[in-house]
Amino acid sequence: MTKIIDGKEFAQKIRNQVKEDSDNLFKNKEVQPCLAVVLVGENPASKVYVGAKTKMAAECNIKTKDFKMEDTTDQATLLKVIEELNNDSGVHGILVQLPLPKQIDERAVIDAIDVKKDVDGFHAINAGRLSIGGEMLKQAFIPCTPLGSLLLLKDTVPNLSGMNAVVIGRSNIVGKPMSQLLIEESCTVTIVHSRTKDIEAICSKADIIVAAVGRPEMIKSNWIKDDAVIIDVGINRIPSKKPDGSEGTKLVGDVDYNDVFEKSSAITPVPGGVGPMTIACLLRNTVTSAYRHAGLDDPRGTVS
Ligand code: GUN
């Protein structure tokens, strides 16, 4: 029987822990964790995402400061806002929603964020700490989507040591950090991408597949081996007929869920799999940052 990995339920469990940790920090140190969210421009998906972050933060007793900036904002203006947030001792986490408008150099902005407030884990120093692993990982912030994916995976397969994992996609936000987290768990990791020759043959040897390519339903059942565990990071909107026959859309992953379901031993659905984990992990990182700023140990394990 294939297990459906319920990310919605797991994310709720994490948010409950985050709220408990946030309340304890307030009780003991009179500090309320605070996340600054910076949105530049009018990207509709980013607006939805930022709205959801603000709502869920409030439910976890995390304060948010929202900065909405024009699409035409120049880099110097954005860097000034970040500098102010870096210097504001009441702010523990800074998130600049990506993508940024094209006149702005994303890397320059990310690396301008105080590394101790980089709750997205995208700063070069946090990426470096994750890459080095071991003790270094304990000072890092781990990017939220890979962290959420790993927590779901470890809940399904507690001991990942020695397993063959294939990560499909090589982005800085998901593919690369995910592969490093899996190496840290002693998996044998292969990253495949758009230029890889014979992707299907490589994937068909994997005990674990993490798909993060952004191509709707690309991964079919003939790509995977029997009883593979499938973590689908993709969230793609495609045209779909509504029950009344009119034109509509629906969300699908990078994996052809119905085709792959029987052959896999466990799989994340889309929606309701990895998606809800991203915001839960962002809130977790924010509370962790507030603990560190108060001179306390992290309230939870790095990846447990
Ligand atoms: N855009 C898509 N995913 C993310 C994310 O995890 N963090 C930020 N800041 N922007 C994103």
Side-chain angles (χ1 to χ4, degrees):
M1 263 274 284
T2 305
K3 177 189 174 187
I4 299 173
I5 302 172
D6 188 343
K8 208 170 153 193
E9 185 184 296
F10 202 93
Q12 181 64 55
K13 190 175 119 189
I14 290 182
R15 291 200 303 275
N16 292 345
Q17 290 174 348
V18 168
K19 180 173 183 303
E20 191 185 316
D21 294 341
S22 178
D23 290 347
N24 283 336
L25 185 63
F26 193 75
K27 254 185 248 149
N28 298 329
K29 294 272 181 181
E30 289 185 21
V31 171
Q32 185 180 12
C34 175
L35 172 68
V37 179
V38 183
L39 175 63
V40 187
E42 300 290 331
N43 182 316
S46 291
K47 278 183 165 174
V48 171
Y49 193 50
V50 164
K53 281 172 190 170
T54 309
K55 180 173 164 282
M56 287 183 185
E59 287 168 11
C60 295
N61 289 346
I62 294 174
K63 208 161 44 176
T64 49
K65 285 189 171 183
D66 282 343
F67 295 82
K68 297 212 162 54
M69 304 176 75
E70 298 283 325
D71 199 41
T72 51
T73 302
D74 62 28
Q75 188 165 316
T77 307
L78 178 55
L79 288 175
K80 212 155 164 245
V81 169
I82 289 172
E83 193 187 343
E84 279 164 22
L85 293 171
N86 282 344
N87 293 331
D88 183 341
S89 61
V91 170
H92 307 104
I94 302 171
L95 177 136
V96 178
Q97 186 63 32
L98 304 177
L100 288 169
K102 50 183 181 311
Q103 72 274 17
I104 297 175
D105 175 355
E106 244 168 45
R107 182 42 56 192
V109 170
I110 291 168
D111 287 345
I113 296 171
D114 179 348
V115 67
K116 293 195 172 77
K117 298 188 180 186
D118 169 41
V119 285
D120 254 331
F122 295 160
H123 193 292
I125 292 178
N126 277 320
R129 285 174 174 157
L130 172 55
S131 170
I132 293 164
E135 285 299 306
M136 275 283 171
L137 208 54
K138 294 185 184 149
Q139 300 172 41
F141 288 110
I142 299 170
C144 307
T145 303
L147 176 57
S149 301
L150 185 72
L151 292 174
L152 287 181
L153 185 57
K154 285 183 69 163
D155 190 54
T156 307
V157 186
N159 184 5
L160 294 167
S161 177
M163 300 191 90
N164 286 330
V166 170
V167 178
I168 311 176
R170 54 175 156 175
S171 70
N172 289 325
I173 293 184
V174 185
K176 282 184 209 163
M178 188 72 217
S179 65
Q180 287 158 342
L181 286 169
L182 291 167
I183 290 170
E184 202 62 23
E185 297 293 329
S186 301
C187 288
T188 303
V189 182
T190 309
I191 304 186
V192 298
H193 48 76
S194 54
R195 300 290 175 89
T196 301
K197 295 188 182 104
D198 213 357
I199 287 193
E200 291 93 323
I202 298 170
C203 289
S204 67
K205 295 199 173 58
D207 304 309
I208 294 157
I209 288 189
V210 181
V213 262
R215 288 187 178 220
E217 299 177 324
M218 183 174 88
I219 291 115
K220 307 287 180 192
S221 60
N222 62 332
W223 290 43
I224 73 159
K225 90 171 189 188
D226 280 338
D227 294 330
V229 176
I230 313 288
I231 305 291
D232 190 352
V233 180
I235 301 176
N236 310 289
R237 192 166 283 284
I238 60 165
S240 168
K241 288 243 187 295
K242 289 186 194 167
D244 66 5
S246 63
E247 298 300 330
T249 63
K250 66 170 177 177
L251 290 179
V252 297
D254 293 344
V255 177
D256 187 334
Y257 185 85
N258 292 328
D259 189 37
V260 162
F261 188 84
E262 285 292 332
K263 209 169 173 190
S264 63
S265 64
I267 185 164
T268 58
V270 178
V274 173
M277 294 296 285
T278 299
I279 294 181
C281 289
L282 171 73
L283 301 176
R284 181 176 142 135
N285 281 352
T286 303
V287 170
T288 298
S289 178
Y291 270 69
R292 291 179 186 175
H293 278 86
L296 301 173
D297 291 339
D298 291 5
R300 306 280 160 182
T302 311
V303 289
S304 58

